[in-house]
Amino acid sequence: MNRWFCLMLATLISLIPSALAAQQEDLYTGTYTHVASGLVLAVMKLPDIGYEGKIAYQGQQYLVSAVRLLGVLSGSYTYEGHPVSFSLARMGEVYYLTSDGVSLEVTRTPYKALPAAPVVTQAPAGTSTGPAATQWQQRLAGKQLLYLYTGNGYSEKSTLDLCPDGTFTAGGDAHYISTGGGDVFTYSGDDGTRRGTWQIAQQGGSPVLRLSFGQGGVRTFALTSRQASNEIGLDGKRYFVQPSGICR
């Protein structure tokens, strides 16, 4: 009886390190894969509360930093010069990677550093990715985009000069005339001159124009071709393409 008890006690003691290791295992250190898109995220816990790693997508790698808040891993990386936020959440035994409102169910495996590859940290202003984006950049660099609208007593004009050095200048004005009840009301407004940097990128497989304003803020416009060679579409609106008198 004593021998059996000693044997059981020794077995239990031998299991303690494994149990402690299981308790200490971090739930988010690992490599996460979404097979359909080819996206891979590899993160590991730092000695403090932070995490670091890389995310690989479409042949490019981006540095990742994250922290664990309320049981969810919240992180960010820089894509084409702009911060992109993401979250990694565990629901039961399933992990979900969410960014820009899109959630992907990912498969977790033990942490393994991604193969060595050039890491993209920030793309210079005016750069592009993909052949379609490159064609758009070559077409629009050094051009002014002109938008004109007139209807029902309202007129609007806006210009956007896209310089080859990756900077832009935007301006415009609007006028409104109302003749209700025999009275004439006239409004004229000028939205001022705004400057910043521009770049063409591909988003969801389609080219977009991204403007980063010097005062802060980013706007993205979907780019489409039109039948006339001197016209393009920005978010469905017609813009005329002409040489810029501002860019040098």
Side-chain angles (χ1 to χ4, degrees):
M1 186 70 174
N2 289 339
R3 182 179 179 183
W4 179 85
F5 177 78
C6 292
L7 181 61
M8 288 296 297
L9 182 60
T11 302
L12 290 174
I13 291 175
S14 67
L15 292 176
I16 289 177
S18 299
L20 290 175
Q23 291 177 359
Q24 295 174 356
E25 179 186 3
D26 184 79
L27 295 176
Y28 285 105
T29 293
T31 300
Y32 302 85
T33 306
H34 185 254
V35 177
S37 65
L39 184 147
V40 180
L41 169 67
V43 291
M44 64 179 301
K45 193 177 186 308
L46 298 173
D48 55 13
I49 63 172
Y51 291 74
E52 69 175 11
K54 295 179 183 178
I55 187 168
Y57 182 61
Q58 294 184 343
Q60 302 286 350
Q61 291 187 12
Y62 307 88
L63 295 176
V64 166
S65 61
V67 294
R68 186 173 176 179
L69 298 172
L70 301 177
V72 176
L73 197 67
S74 298
S76 65
Y77 61 95
T78 300
Y79 178 72
E80 295 184 347
H82 304 281
V84 178
S85 299
F86 71 89
S87 64
L88 182 65
R90 181 174 184 261
M91 300 181 65
E93 298 301 320
V94 181
Y95 287 85
Y96 293 93
L97 181 64
T98 303
S99 181
D100 290 334
V102 179
S103 294
L104 302 175
E105 182 178 334
V106 291
T107 301
R108 182 193 183 207
T109 54
Y111 175 80
K112 182 179 181 181
L114 296 180
V119 174
V120 178
T121 56
Q122 180 171 346
T127 59
S128 59
T129 57
T134 300
Q135 292 174 4
W136 274 102
Q137 181 184 327
Q138 293 173 346
R139 179 182 178 183
L140 298 182
K143 297 296 192 295
Q144 180 186 81
L145 307 184
L146 171 64
Y147 173 75
L148 299 172
Y149 174 81
T150 301
N152 299 321
Y154 175 81
S155 64
E156 179 183 350
K157 173 184 177 182
S158 62
T159 59
L160 177 61
D161 290 80
L162 303 174
C163 297
D165 64 357
T167 62
F168 76 82
T169 300
D173 55 66
H175 303 276
Y176 178 74
I177 300 177
S178 175
T179 58
D183 296 325
V184 178
F185 172 76
T186 302
Y187 165 81
S188 296
D190 184 350
D191 63 5
T193 300
R194 292 156 295 166
R195 294 182 174 83
T197 58
W198 69 279
Q199 58 186 174
I200 305 294
Q202 288 189 205
Q203 183 172 297
S206 301
V208 295
L209 170 63
R210 181 176 292 125
L211 303 180
S212 301
F213 294 88
Q215 304 92 334
V218 177
R219 286 199 63 185
T220 301
F221 302 86
L223 283 166
T224 53
S225 297
R226 295 177 63 90
Q227 187 171 2
S229 61
N230 67 330
E231 299 177 4
I232 65 168
L234 289 185
D235 281 352
K237 292 184 177 181
R238 182 180 66 172
Y239 281 74
F240 296 98
V241 181
Q242 58 190 19
S244 171
I246 295 177
C247 300
R248 296 181 179 179

